[in-house]
Amino acid sequence: MVVKHERFLVAVTACVSGVAHTYMAAERLEKLCQQEKWTVKIETQGALGIENSLNAVDIARADAVLLITDIELAGAERFTQSRSVQSGINAFLREPQKVIAAVRKLLSAPQHTHLILR
């Protein structure tokens, strides 16, 4: 049986050292999206460089973008036309449900809406 997910999200995770937190955040986000029945593609910007890079088609079809980062993202301008939620990595790892709640709210917001969680 194929389960059709009604939402498609893209995300970027990146931390200062580019090691543990980048990948911990990506893993946690993947699990949360599975629980929500959302499909997600996650780009990581870590010590190994950019992995699983998001392309223009991914970004254009995304219902929302999550930017979970403590550093300046490479290619951040790709997301200016998208609905996005931005959160620091540590804040996300401490309170992931806060980010998920923001995404739910964002899904009914106009395109170009940007939420920054502190």
Side-chain angles (χ1 to χ4, degrees), residues 81-113:
Q81 303 300 312
S82 305
R83 288 182 197 98
S84 68
V85 172
Q86 186 173 343
S87 170
I89 281 204
N90 289 325
F92 171 72
L93 292 172
R94 270 194 316 274
E95 295 183 274
Q97 289 305 326
K98 188 174 180 182
V99 173
I100 296 302
V103 170
R104 280 195 211 104
K105 197 179 294 185
L106 186 71
L107 290 171
S108 61
Q111 198 66 8
H112 306 116
T113 300

PDB file of all heavy atoms in Angstrom, residues 81-113:
ATOM      1  N   GLN A  81      11.489  33.307  -1.924  1.00  0.00           N
ATOM      2  CA  GLN A  81      10.127  33.300  -2.460  1.00  0.00           C
ATOM      3  C   GLN A  81       9.234  32.255  -1.791  1.00  0.00           C
ATOM      4  O   GLN A  81       8.068  32.110  -2.144  1.00  0.00           O
ATOM      5  CB  GLN A  81      10.155  33.036  -3.973  1.00  0.00           C
ATOM      6  CG  GLN A  81      11.000  34.021  -4.753  1.00  0.00           C
ATOM      7  CD  GLN A  81      10.506  35.456  -4.603  1.00  0.00           C
ATOM      8  OE1 GLN A  81       9.329  35.730  -4.750  1.00  0.00           O
ATOM      9  NE2 GLN A  81      11.421  36.357  -4.273  1.00  0.00           N
ATOM     10  N   SER A  82       9.767  31.530  -0.836  1.00  0.00           N
ATOM     11  CA  SER A  82       9.051  30.412  -0.204  1.00  0.00           C
ATOM     12  C   SER A  82       8.544  30.787   1.180  1.00  0.00           C
ATOM     13  O   SER A  82       9.085  31.675   1.825  1.00  0.00           O
ATOM     14  CB  SER A  82       9.992  29.215  -0.053  1.00  0.00           C
ATOM     15  OG  SER A  82      10.556  28.859  -1.287  1.00  0.00           O
ATOM     16  N   ARG A  83       7.529  30.048   1.635  1.00  0.00           N
ATOM     17  CA  ARG A  83       7.138  30.120   3.041  1.00  0.00           C
ATOM     18  C   ARG A  83       8.240  29.436   3.831  1.00  0.00           C
ATOM     19  O   ARG A  83       8.637  28.326   3.479  1.00  0.00           O
ATOM     20  CB  ARG A  83       5.860  29.319   3.293  1.00  0.00           C
ATOM     21  CG  ARG A  83       4.610  29.891   2.751  1.00  0.00           C
ATOM     22  CD  ARG A  83       3.455  28.961   3.169  1.00  0.00           C
ATOM     23  NE  ARG A  83       2.301  29.228   2.370  1.00  0.00           N
ATOM     24  CZ  ARG A  83       1.937  28.530   1.296  1.00  0.00           C
ATOM     25  NH1 ARG A  83       2.621  27.475   0.931  1.00  0.00           N
ATOM     26  NH2 ARG A  83       0.887  28.869   0.625  1.00  0.00           N
ATOM     27  N   SER A  84       8.700  30.059   4.916  1.00  0.00           N
ATOM     28  CA  SER A  84       9.773  29.412   5.659  1.00  0.00           C
ATOM     29  C   SER A  84       9.658  29.634   7.158  1.00  0.00           C
ATOM     30  O   SER A  84       9.088  30.621   7.614  1.00  0.00           O
ATOM     31  CB  SER A  84      11.141  29.911   5.173  1.00  0.00           C
ATOM     32  OG  SER A  84      11.320  31.272   5.510  1.00  0.00           O
ATOM     33  N   VAL A  85      10.196  28.659   7.887  1.00  0.00           N
ATOM     34  CA  VAL A  85      10.359  28.752   9.327  1.00  0.00           C
ATOM     35  C   VAL A  85      11.855  28.636   9.577  1.00  0.00           C
ATOM     36  O   VAL A  85      12.498  27.718   9.074  1.00  0.00           O
ATOM     37  CB  VAL A  85       9.625  27.615  10.082  1.00  0.00           C
ATOM     38  CG1 VAL A  85       9.970  27.638  11.561  1.00  0.00           C
ATOM     39  CG2 VAL A  85       8.122  27.711   9.884  1.00  0.00           C
ATOM     40  N   GLN A  86      12.387  29.574  10.354  1.00  0.00           N
ATOM     41  CA  GLN A  86      13.804  29.545  10.679  1.00  0.00           C
ATOM     42  C   GLN A  86      13.962  29.360  12.183  1.00  0.00           C
ATOM     43  O   GLN A  86      13.283  30.011  12.975  1.00  0.00           O
ATOM     44  CB  GLN A  86      14.460  30.849  10.241  1.00  0.00           C
ATOM     45  CG  GLN A  86      15.956  30.839  10.415  1.00  0.00           C
ATOM     46  CD  GLN A  86      16.595  32.079   9.804  1.00  0.00           C
ATOM     47  OE1 GLN A  86      15.992  32.772   8.997  1.00  0.00           O
ATOM     48  NE2 GLN A  86      17.818  32.347  10.202  1.00  0.00           N
ATOM     49  N   SER A  87      14.842  28.434  12.556  1.00  0.00           N
ATOM     50  CA  SER A  87      15.090  28.151  13.965  1.00  0.00           C
ATOM     51  C   SER A  87      16.556  27.811  14.150  1.00  0.00           C
ATOM     52  O   SER A  87      17.186  27.243  13.251  1.00  0.00           O
ATOM     53  CB  SER A  87      14.237  26.959  14.407  1.00  0.00           C
ATOM     54  OG  SER A  87      14.613  26.507  15.692  1.00  0.00           O
ATOM     55  N   GLY A  88      17.083  28.129  15.320  1.00  0.00           N
ATOM     56  CA  GLY A  88      18.427  27.686  15.653  1.00  0.00           C
ATOM     57  C   GLY A  88      18.412  26.183  15.902  1.00  0.00           C
ATOM     58  O   GLY A  88      17.374  25.616  16.263  1.00  0.00           O
ATOM     59  N   ILE A  89      19.524  25.540  15.693  1.00  0.00           N
ATOM     60  CA  ILE A  89      19.602  24.086  15.882  1.00  0.00           C
ATOM     61  C   ILE A  89      19.331  23.687  17.321  1.00  0.00           C
ATOM     62  O   ILE A  89      18.545  22.781  17.581  1.00  0.00           O
ATOM     63  CB  ILE A  89      20.963  23.532  15.409  1.00  0.00           C
ATOM     64  CG1 ILE A  89      20.934  23.427  13.899  1.00  0.00           C
ATOM     65  CG2 ILE A  89      21.278  22.189  16.039  1.00  0.00           C
ATOM     66  CD1 ILE A  89      21.861  22.439  13.281  1.00  0.00           C
ATOM     67  N   ASN A  90      19.969  24.346  18.283  1.00  0.00           N
ATOM     68  CA  ASN A  90      19.769  23.968  19.678  1.00  0.00           C
ATOM     69  C   ASN A  90      18.324  24.169  20.112  1.00  0.00           C
ATOM     70  O   ASN A  90      17.764  23.327  20.815  1.00  0.00           O
ATOM     71  CB  ASN A  90      20.731  24.732  20.598  1.00  0.00           C
ATOM     72  CG  ASN A  90      22.159  24.243  20.424  1.00  0.00           C
ATOM     73  OD1 ASN A  90      22.398  23.058  20.185  1.00  0.00           O
ATOM     74  ND2 ASN A  90      23.103  25.148  20.515  1.00  0.00           N
ATOM     75  N   ALA A  91      17.710  25.263  19.679  1.00  0.00           N
ATOM     76  CA  ALA A  91      16.298  25.511  20.004  1.00  0.00           C
ATOM     77  C   ALA A  91      15.420  24.409  19.413  1.00  0.00           C
ATOM     78  O   ALA A  91      14.495  23.912  20.070  1.00  0.00           O
ATOM     79  CB  ALA A  91      15.860  26.877  19.492  1.00  0.00           C
ATOM     80  N   PHE A  92      15.722  24.001  18.194  1.00  0.00           N
ATOM     81  CA  PHE A  92      14.955  22.928  17.559  1.00  0.00           C
ATOM     82  C   PHE A  92      15.120  21.608  18.305  1.00  0.00           C
ATOM     83  O   PHE A  92      14.148  20.901  18.558  1.00  0.00           O
ATOM     84  CB  PHE A  92      15.375  22.761  16.097  1.00  0.00           C
ATOM     85  CG  PHE A  92      14.783  21.536  15.451  1.00  0.00           C
ATOM     86  CD1 PHE A  92      13.435  21.480  15.136  1.00  0.00           C
ATOM     87  CD2 PHE A  92      15.565  20.426  15.183  1.00  0.00           C
ATOM     88  CE1 PHE A  92      12.881  20.339  14.554  1.00  0.00           C
ATOM     89  CE2 PHE A  92      15.030  19.295  14.603  1.00  0.00           C
ATOM     90  CZ  PHE A  92      13.671  19.255  14.282  1.00  0.00           C
ATOM     91  N   LEU A  93      16.350  21.278  18.660  1.00  0.00           N
ATOM     92  CA  LEU A  93      16.592  20.012  19.355  1.00  0.00           C
ATOM     93  C   LEU A  93      15.943  19.999  20.741  1.00  0.00           C
ATOM     94  O   LEU A  93      15.494  18.960  21.206  1.00  0.00           O
ATOM     95  CB  LEU A  93      18.084  19.721  19.448  1.00  0.00           C
ATOM     96  CG  LEU A  93      18.766  19.404  18.108  1.00  0.00           C
ATOM     97  CD1 LEU A  93      20.275  19.326  18.277  1.00  0.00           C
ATOM     98  CD2 LEU A  93      18.222  18.120  17.498  1.00  0.00           C
ATOM     99  N   ARG A  94      15.876  21.162  21.396  1.00  0.00           N
ATOM    100  CA  ARG A  94      15.231  21.255  22.716  1.00  0.00           C
ATOM    101  C   ARG A  94      13.708  21.212  22.630  1.00  0.00           C
ATOM    102  O   ARG A  94      13.053  20.584  23.439  1.00  0.00           O
ATOM    103  CB  ARG A  94      15.628  22.566  23.416  1.00  0.00           C
ATOM    104  CG  ARG A  94      16.868  22.475  24.265  1.00  0.00           C
ATOM    105  CD  ARG A  94      17.019  23.686  25.179  1.00  0.00           C
ATOM    106  NE  ARG A  94      16.759  24.968  24.529  1.00  0.00           N
ATOM    107  CZ  ARG A  94      17.656  25.679  23.850  1.00  0.00           C
ATOM    108  NH1 ARG A  94      18.890  25.234  23.724  1.00  0.00           N
ATOM    109  NH2 ARG A  94      17.338  26.828  23.300  1.00  0.00           N
ATOM    110  N   GLU A  95      13.152  21.933  21.640  1.00  0.00           N
ATOM    111  CA  GLU A  95      11.693  22.038  21.516  1.00  0.00           C
ATOM    112  C   GLU A  95      11.240  21.818  20.077  1.00  0.00           C
ATOM    113  O   GLU A  95      10.750  22.744  19.424  1.00  0.00           O
ATOM    114  CB  GLU A  95      11.215  23.419  21.983  1.00  0.00           C
ATOM    115  CG  GLU A  95      11.436  23.706  23.444  1.00  0.00           C
ATOM    116  CD  GLU A  95      10.864  25.066  23.808  1.00  0.00           C
ATOM    117  OE1 GLU A  95      11.586  26.070  23.641  1.00  0.00           O
ATOM    118  OE2 GLU A  95       9.703  25.098  24.236  1.00  0.00           O
ATOM    119  N   PRO A  96      11.373  20.609  19.573  1.00  0.00           N
ATOM    120  CA  PRO A  96      11.012  20.372  18.167  1.00  0.00           C
ATOM    121  C   PRO A  96       9.536  20.627  17.879  1.00  0.00           C
ATOM    122  O   PRO A  96       9.179  21.032  16.779  1.00  0.00           O
ATOM    123  CB  PRO A  96      11.398  18.908  17.941  1.00  0.00           C
ATOM    124  CG  PRO A  96      11.434  18.302  19.299  1.00  0.00           C
ATOM    125  CD  PRO A  96      11.856  19.384  20.232  1.00  0.00           C
ATOM    126  N   GLN A  97       8.676  20.401  18.866  1.00  0.00           N
ATOM    127  CA  GLN A  97       7.245  20.604  18.631  1.00  0.00           C
ATOM    128  C   GLN A  97       6.911  22.071  18.367  1.00  0.00           C
ATOM    129  O   GLN A  97       5.934  22.383  17.695  1.00  0.00           O
ATOM    130  CB  GLN A  97       6.418  20.053  19.801  1.00  0.00           C
ATOM    131  CG  GLN A  97       6.405  18.534  19.862  1.00  0.00           C
ATOM    132  CD  GLN A  97       5.945  17.886  18.565  1.00  0.00           C
ATOM    133  OE1 GLN A  97       5.093  18.395  17.840  1.00  0.00           O
ATOM    134  NE2 GLN A  97       6.520  16.730  18.254  1.00  0.00           N
ATOM    135  N   LYS A  98       7.724  22.980  18.886  1.00  0.00           N
ATOM    136  CA  LYS A  98       7.520  24.411  18.640  1.00  0.00           C
ATOM    137  C   LYS A  98       7.697  24.699  17.140  1.00  0.00           C
ATOM    138  O   LYS A  98       6.949  25.467  16.548  1.00  0.00           O
ATOM    139  CB  LYS A  98       8.523  25.208  19.479  1.00  0.00           C
ATOM    140  CG  LYS A  98       8.318  26.680  19.475  1.00  0.00           C
ATOM    141  CD  LYS A  98       9.293  27.330  20.458  1.00  0.00           C
ATOM    142  CE  LYS A  98       9.135  28.831  20.485  1.00  0.00           C
ATOM    143  NZ  LYS A  98      10.092  29.459  21.381  1.00  0.00           N
ATOM    144  N   VAL A  99       8.692  24.065  16.542  1.00  0.00           N
ATOM    145  CA  VAL A  99       8.943  24.244  15.111  1.00  0.00           C
ATOM    146  C   VAL A  99       7.824  23.602  14.298  1.00  0.00           C
ATOM    147  O   VAL A  99       7.319  24.192  13.340  1.00  0.00           O
ATOM    148  CB  VAL A  99      10.325  23.673  14.715  1.00  0.00           C
ATOM    149  CG1 VAL A  99      10.523  23.693  13.204  1.00  0.00           C
ATOM    150  CG2 VAL A  99      11.432  24.456  15.420  1.00  0.00           C
ATOM    151  N   ILE A 100       7.398  22.407  14.683  1.00  0.00           N
ATOM    152  CA  ILE A 100       6.316  21.730  13.966  1.00  0.00           C
ATOM    153  C   ILE A 100       5.029  22.550  14.047  1.00  0.00           C
ATOM    154  O   ILE A 100       4.300  22.693  13.060  1.00  0.00           O
ATOM    155  CB  ILE A 100       6.115  20.290  14.509  1.00  0.00           C
ATOM    156  CG1 ILE A 100       7.372  19.447  14.241  1.00  0.00           C
ATOM    157  CG2 ILE A 100       4.878  19.637  13.905  1.00  0.00           C
ATOM    158  CD1 ILE A 100       7.790  19.336  12.783  1.00  0.00           C
ATOM    159  N   ALA A 101       4.737  23.128  15.202  1.00  0.00           N
ATOM    160  CA  ALA A 101       3.550  23.981  15.359  1.00  0.00           C
ATOM    161  C   ALA A 101       3.655  25.204  14.445  1.00  0.00           C
ATOM    162  O   ALA A 101       2.659  25.613  13.821  1.00  0.00           O
ATOM    163  CB  ALA A 101       3.395  24.406  16.815  1.00  0.00           C
ATOM    164  N   ALA A 102       4.845  25.776  14.328  1.00  0.00           N
ATOM    165  CA  ALA A 102       5.049  26.924  13.443  1.00  0.00           C
ATOM    166  C   ALA A 102       4.838  26.530  11.982  1.00  0.00           C
ATOM    167  O   ALA A 102       4.250  27.287  11.207  1.00  0.00           O
ATOM    168  CB  ALA A 102       6.443  27.506  13.644  1.00  0.00           C
ATOM    169  N   VAL A 103       5.282  25.335  11.609  1.00  0.00           N
ATOM    170  CA  VAL A 103       5.079  24.857  10.238  1.00  0.00           C
ATOM    171  C   VAL A 103       3.584  24.685   9.969  1.00  0.00           C
ATOM    172  O   VAL A 103       3.086  25.112   8.922  1.00  0.00           O
ATOM    173  CB  VAL A 103       5.827  23.529   9.972  1.00  0.00           C
ATOM    174  CG1 VAL A 103       5.415  22.933   8.630  1.00  0.00           C
ATOM    175  CG2 VAL A 103       7.326  23.753  10.028  1.00  0.00           C
ATOM    176  N   ARG A 104       2.857  24.094  10.903  1.00  0.00           N
ATOM    177  CA  ARG A 104       1.403  23.931  10.720  1.00  0.00           C
ATOM    178  C   ARG A 104       0.744  25.283  10.471  1.00  0.00           C
ATOM    179  O   ARG A 104      -0.109  25.407   9.594  1.00  0.00           O
ATOM    180  CB  ARG A 104       0.780  23.262  11.943  1.00  0.00           C
ATOM    181  CG  ARG A 104       0.963  21.785  11.973  1.00  0.00           C
ATOM    182  CD  ARG A 104       0.006  21.153  13.002  1.00  0.00           C
ATOM    183  NE  ARG A 104       0.627  19.987  13.544  1.00  0.00           N
ATOM    184  CZ  ARG A 104       1.194  19.901  14.751  1.00  0.00           C
ATOM    185  NH1 ARG A 104       1.189  20.918  15.584  1.00  0.00           N
ATOM    186  NH2 ARG A 104       1.746  18.785  15.148  1.00  0.00           N
ATOM    187  N   LYS A 105       1.122  26.273  11.262  1.00  0.00           N
ATOM    188  CA  LYS A 105       0.571  27.622  11.119  1.00  0.00           C
ATOM    189  C   LYS A 105       0.964  28.211   9.756  1.00  0.00           C
ATOM    190  O   LYS A 105       0.150  28.830   9.072  1.00  0.00           O
ATOM    191  CB  LYS A 105       1.123  28.498  12.252  1.00  0.00           C
ATOM    192  CG  LYS A 105       0.365  29.770  12.491  1.00  0.00           C
ATOM    193  CD  LYS A 105       0.959  30.569  13.632  1.00  0.00           C
ATOM    194  CE  LYS A 105       0.806  29.864  14.956  1.00  0.00           C
ATOM    195  NZ  LYS A 105       1.272  30.663  16.094  1.00  0.00           N
ATOM    196  N   LEU A 106       2.197  27.991   9.370  1.00  0.00           N
ATOM    197  CA  LEU A 106       2.730  28.532   8.131  1.00  0.00           C
ATOM    198  C   LEU A 106       2.026  27.968   6.896  1.00  0.00           C
ATOM    199  O   LEU A 106       1.871  28.663   5.901  1.00  0.00           O
ATOM    200  CB  LEU A 106       4.229  28.225   8.054  1.00  0.00           C
ATOM    201  CG  LEU A 106       5.003  28.835   6.898  1.00  0.00           C
ATOM    202  CD1 LEU A 106       5.129  30.344   7.109  1.00  0.00           C
ATOM    203  CD2 LEU A 106       6.373  28.208   6.791  1.00  0.00           C
ATOM    204  N   LEU A 107       1.580  26.735   6.968  1.00  0.00           N
ATOM    205  CA  LEU A 107       0.970  26.084   5.808  1.00  0.00           C
ATOM    206  C   LEU A 107      -0.271  26.807   5.306  1.00  0.00           C
ATOM    207  O   LEU A 107      -0.637  26.686   4.149  1.00  0.00           O
ATOM    208  CB  LEU A 107       0.653  24.617   6.121  1.00  0.00           C
ATOM    209  CG  LEU A 107       1.888  23.718   6.270  1.00  0.00           C
ATOM    210  CD1 LEU A 107       1.499  22.349   6.786  1.00  0.00           C
ATOM    211  CD2 LEU A 107       2.668  23.623   4.970  1.00  0.00           C
ATOM    212  N   SER A 108      -0.927  27.570   6.174  1.00  0.00           N
ATOM    213  CA  SER A 108      -2.110  28.322   5.741  1.00  0.00           C
ATOM    214  C   SER A 108      -1.792  29.799   5.513  1.00  0.00           C
ATOM    215  O   SER A 108      -2.676  30.590   5.206  1.00  0.00           O
ATOM    216  CB  SER A 108      -3.229  28.178   6.772  1.00  0.00           C
ATOM    217  OG  SER A 108      -2.800  28.690   8.017  1.00  0.00           O
ATOM    218  N   ALA A 109      -0.519  30.176   5.638  1.00  0.00           N
ATOM    219  CA  ALA A 109      -0.105  31.568   5.432  1.00  0.00           C
ATOM    220  C   ALA A 109       0.178  31.823   3.955  1.00  0.00           C
ATOM    221  O   ALA A 109       0.421  30.887   3.192  1.00  0.00           O
ATOM    222  CB  ALA A 109       1.148  31.854   6.264  1.00  0.00           C
ATOM    223  N   PRO A 110       0.166  33.092   3.559  1.00  0.00           N
ATOM    224  CA  PRO A 110       0.491  33.421   2.162  1.00  0.00           C
ATOM    225  C   PRO A 110       1.932  33.039   1.820  1.00  0.00           C
ATOM    226  O   PRO A 110       2.787  32.981   2.708  1.00  0.00           O
ATOM    227  CB  PRO A 110       0.328  34.946   2.101  1.00  0.00           C
ATOM    228  CG  PRO A 110      -0.414  35.342   3.319  1.00  0.00           C
ATOM    229  CD  PRO A 110      -0.190  34.268   4.344  1.00  0.00           C
ATOM    230  N   GLN A 111       2.166  32.815   0.542  1.00  0.00           N
ATOM    231  CA  GLN A 111       3.523  32.559   0.057  1.00  0.00           C
ATOM    232  C   GLN A 111       4.391  33.741   0.487  1.00  0.00           C
ATOM    233  O   GLN A 111       3.868  34.831   0.704  1.00  0.00           O
ATOM    234  CB  GLN A 111       3.472  32.419  -1.471  1.00  0.00           C
ATOM    235  CG  GLN A 111       4.649  31.746  -2.095  1.00  0.00           C
ATOM    236  CD  GLN A 111       4.784  30.268  -1.718  1.00  0.00           C
ATOM    237  OE1 GLN A 111       3.934  29.681  -1.095  1.00  0.00           O
ATOM    238  NE2 GLN A 111       5.886  29.680  -2.105  1.00  0.00           N
ATOM    239  N   HIS A 112       5.656  33.580   0.622  1.00  0.00           N
ATOM    240  CA  HIS A 112       6.633  34.592   1.039  1.00  0.00           C
ATOM    241  C   HIS A 112       6.574  34.901   2.533  1.00  0.00           C
ATOM    242  O   HIS A 112       7.196  35.847   2.986  1.00  0.00           O
ATOM    243  CB  HIS A 112       6.488  35.923   0.271  1.00  0.00           C
ATOM    244  CG  HIS A 112       6.515  35.769  -1.202  1.00  0.00           C
ATOM    245  ND1 HIS A 112       5.427  36.076  -1.986  1.00  0.00           N
ATOM    246  CD2 HIS A 112       7.466  35.325  -2.041  1.00  0.00           C
ATOM    247  CE1 HIS A 112       5.722  35.846  -3.251  1.00  0.00           C
ATOM    248  NE2 HIS A 112       6.949  35.385  -3.299  1.00  0.00           N
ATOM    249  N   THR A 113       5.804  34.150   3.315  1.00  0.00           N
ATOM    250  CA  THR A 113       5.752  34.374   4.759  1.00  0.00           C
ATOM    251  C   THR A 113       6.969  33.712   5.394  1.00  0.00           C
ATOM    252  O   THR A 113       7.266  32.556   5.111  1.00  0.00           O
ATOM    253  CB  THR A 113       4.463  33.783   5.365  1.00  0.00           C
ATOM    254  OG1 THR A 113       3.342  34.409   4.758  1.00  0.00           O
ATOM    255  CG2 THR A 113       4.414  34.008   6.872  1.00  0.00           C
TER     256      THR A 113
END
